[in-house]
Amino acid sequence: MLVSISAHLVCPNRRLSLRLGKRLRDEDGKVFGFSVGSIDSWEDEQRSRALWKFLAETSGEELVVVFSDDEQFDTVAEYREIGGQIEDGDIPIEDYLRFPID
């Protein structure tokens, strides 16, 4: 079953997030992956590369997965999002993969 709640990998210290997508669940209800639009996360090469870069750049810092229905999501929604809406000051995935962020 596909639930419409999005998951985000968040670095609170840097006020930065990477959208993982909607939870994908198996028949027992266990989360086995994420999906952005109609693309499963493991099939999205750019998002996978961005995830590995995010993990490398934030190594040693606190990382949390926050869901859009969590109480703390209002705070996370103010962070810069990799792959988010450019007009909101977010970072396009293509730019994130090419350049270091400040």
Side-chain angles (χ1 to χ4, degrees), residues 2 20-24 32-48:
L2 185 62
L20 300 173
K22 297 176 183 177
R23 292 179 271 203
L24 298 174
F32 69 89
F34 299 95
S35 175
V36 176
S38 62
I39 301 172
D40 293 337
S41 56
W42 58 88
E43 295 177 340
D44 186 338
E45 183 180 335
Q46 275 195 322
R47 193 163 301 278
S48 293

Side-chain angles (χ1 to χ4, degrees), residues 18-70:
L18 173 66
R19 192 171 117 206
L20 300 173
K22 297 176 183 177
R23 292 179 271 203
L24 298 174
R25 298 179 184 268
D26 64 16
E27 51 277 345
D28 295 328
K30 294 179 184 173
V31 175
F32 69 89
F34 299 95
S35 175
V36 176
S38 62
I39 301 172
D40 293 337
S41 56
W42 58 88
E43 295 177 340
D44 186 338
E45 183 180 335
Q46 275 195 322
R47 193 163 301 278
S48 293
R49 288 178 52 217
L51 173 61
W52 284 107
K53 182 177 180 189
F54 188 93
L55 292 172
E57 290 182 343
T58 58
S59 61
E61 298 188 37
E62 176 188 15
L63 297 179
V64 294
V65 175
V66 178
F67 294 95
S68 58
D69 64 342
D70 288 348

Side-chain angles (χ1 to χ4, degrees), residues 56-96:
E57 290 182 343
T58 58
S59 61
E61 298 188 37
E62 176 188 15
L63 297 179
V64 294
V65 175
V66 178
F67 294 95
S68 58
D69 64 342
D70 288 348
E71 289 181 20
Q72 65 184 3
F73 188 75
D74 287 342
T75 301
V76 171
E78 295 175 7
Y79 294 175
R80 288 191 307 166
E81 181 183 337
I82 298 164
Q85 301 296 319
I86 297 166
E87 62 269 8
D88 292 337
D90 294 334
I91 306 163
I93 286 182
E94 297 83 6
D95 289 352
Y96 180 68

